[in-house]
């Protein structure tokens, strides 16, 4: 079956530091890949996505590239802010219509940015 | 534009009881999915409803059931509650049954004693 593995947290950084959160996946076929973020006291929200190999998703200064050869979708941001403190989830959908919107999530990585 | 709303936000039940959780989808969204998120873990897919029919289910027993109403709102019902059912239950809506782009509510925190 499908699975997603992401680095465990917490990750503690200073403001303006570079952030990388590793994510690797196991899936058959051609999955779509996502990063969702959960800010304190809020619901999960989509941060970015990529639907095919070599696609780069980007939003709010975050980027992730769909690497089929390494089955990875690492999240990066060049200069984090305190407001980026949140829990980040990597996820995939199988791309098979019968599976609907079934997302397989990683365990989440908590990021804390200190001023 | 109204987002996804869930009720109740918190509830406590005892083992063996039944619970109903409710979800109003984002305006215009016709698909609702439910996820269970145990503490410190990622969400796990329970099932999805599209046009009032279940059209995808995860590895959850039949005592987890649901409904979708004509206005696209939804309910999650859990019978014969077990201690391991304690979790945050997330509802997500989307426009379409296979996009992966979900809009989540803040969840209903269920504690089973």
């Amino acid at each position: 079956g499908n699975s997603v593995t992401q680095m465990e947290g917490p990750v503690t950084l200073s403001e303006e530091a570079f952030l990388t959160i590793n994510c690797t996946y196991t899936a058959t076929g051609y999955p779509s890949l996502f990063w969702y973020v959960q800010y304190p006291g809020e619901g999960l929200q989509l941060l970015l996505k990529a639907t095919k190999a070599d696609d780069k998703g980007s939003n709010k200064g975050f980027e992730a590239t769909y690497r089929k050869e390494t089955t990875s979708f690492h999240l990066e941001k060049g200069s984090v802010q305190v407001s980026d403190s949140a829990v980040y989830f990597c996820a995939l959908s199988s791309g098979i219509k019968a599976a609907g919107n079934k997302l397989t999530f990683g365990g989440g990585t908590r990021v804390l940015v200190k001023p | 534009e109204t987002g996804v709303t869930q009720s109740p936000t918190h509830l406590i039940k005892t083992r063996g009881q039944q619970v109903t959780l409710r979800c109003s989808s984002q305006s215009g969204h016709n698909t609702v999915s439910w996820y269970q998120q145990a503490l410190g873990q990622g969400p796990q897919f329970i099932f999805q409803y599209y046009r009032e029919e279940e059209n995808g289910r995860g590895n959850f027993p039949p005592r987890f059931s649901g409904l979708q109403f004509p206005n696209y709102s939804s309910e999650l019902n859990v019978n014969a509650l077990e201690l391991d059912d304690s979790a945050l239950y997330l509802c997500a809506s989307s426009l379409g049954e296979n996009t992966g782009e979900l809009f989540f509510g803040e969840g209903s925190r269920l504690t089973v004693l």
Side-chain angles (χ1 to χ4, degrees):
Chain A
N2 297 337
S3 67
V4 175
T5 302
Q6 59 182 109
M7 60 189 289
E8 291 189 16
V11 175
T12 304
L13 303 165
S14 297
E15 211 165 19
E16 299 183 4
F18 184 86
L19 171 67
T20 298
I21 304 176
N22 290 339
C23 171
T24 58
Y25 68 89
T26 302
T28 55
Y30 305 95
S32 294
L33 301 173
F34 305 85
W35 278 99
Y36 277 82
V37 59
Q38 191 169 37
Y39 297 105
E42 297 184 19
L44 276 165
Q45 52 187 273
L46 179 64
L47 181 59
L48 53 83
K49 71 171 187 176
T51 57
K52 60 182 186 297
D54 300 325
D55 265 3
K56 177 185 284 187
S58 61
N59 187 25
K60 298 182 180 180
F62 289 89
E63 292 184 341
T65 301
Y66 187 164
R67 301 288 189 198
K68 192 167 179 66
E69 65 276 14
T70 55
T71 62
S72 65
F73 192 54
H74 304 322
L75 182 68
E76 297 182 336
K77 186 174 185 180
S79 177
V80 293
Q81 305 300 313
V82 172
S83 58
D84 293 324
S85 298
V87 182
Y88 294 81
F89 292 91
C90 185
L92 70 82
S93 69
S94 66
I96 300 172
K97 185 173 182 179
N101 281 313
K102 177 181 179 180
L103 293 181
T104 300
F105 284 88
T109 302
R110 183 175 298 277
V111 173
L112 176 60
V113 181
K114 296 186 174 181
Chain B
E1 185 177 75
T2 305
V4 177
T5 58
Q6 295 186 240
S7 63
T9 54
H10 296 82
L11 69 166
I12 300 173
K13 293 285 187 178
T14 56
R15 196 170 45 183
Q17 286 189 311
Q18 178 266 343
V19 67
T20 297
L21 308 178
R22 295 179 175 82
C23 172
S24 293
S25 60
Q26 183 158 318
S27 177
H29 285 184
N30 56 11
T31 305
V32 173
S33 309
W34 286 91
Y35 287 78
Q36 181 195 66
Q37 187 178 15
L39 199 60
Q41 298 183 22
Q44 291 196 11
F45 178 76
I46 302 174
F47 45 53
Q48 172 178 287
Y49 280 83
Y50 174 66
R51 294 184 176 177
E52 302 178 53
E53 291 197 2
E54 184 183 300
N55 78 333
R57 190 176 183 93
N59 295 324
F60 282 82
R63 60 189 185 85
F64 286 78
S65 63
L67 287 171
Q68 186 181 31
F69 301 100
N71 66 353
Y72 304 135
S73 66
S74 178
E75 288 182 353
L76 165 64
N77 299 290
V78 187
N79 294 321
L81 284 168
E82 301 177 359
L83 298 180
D84 285 348
D85 295 333
S86 295
L88 181 67
Y89 289 85
L90 299 171
C91 172
S93 72
S94 61
L95 184 60
E97 60 182 316
N98 192 31
T99 68
E101 296 187 35
L102 305 182
F103 293 78
F104 283 86
E106 293 185 30
S108 295
R109 170 80 57 192
L110 171 65
T111 301
V112 182
L113 302 177

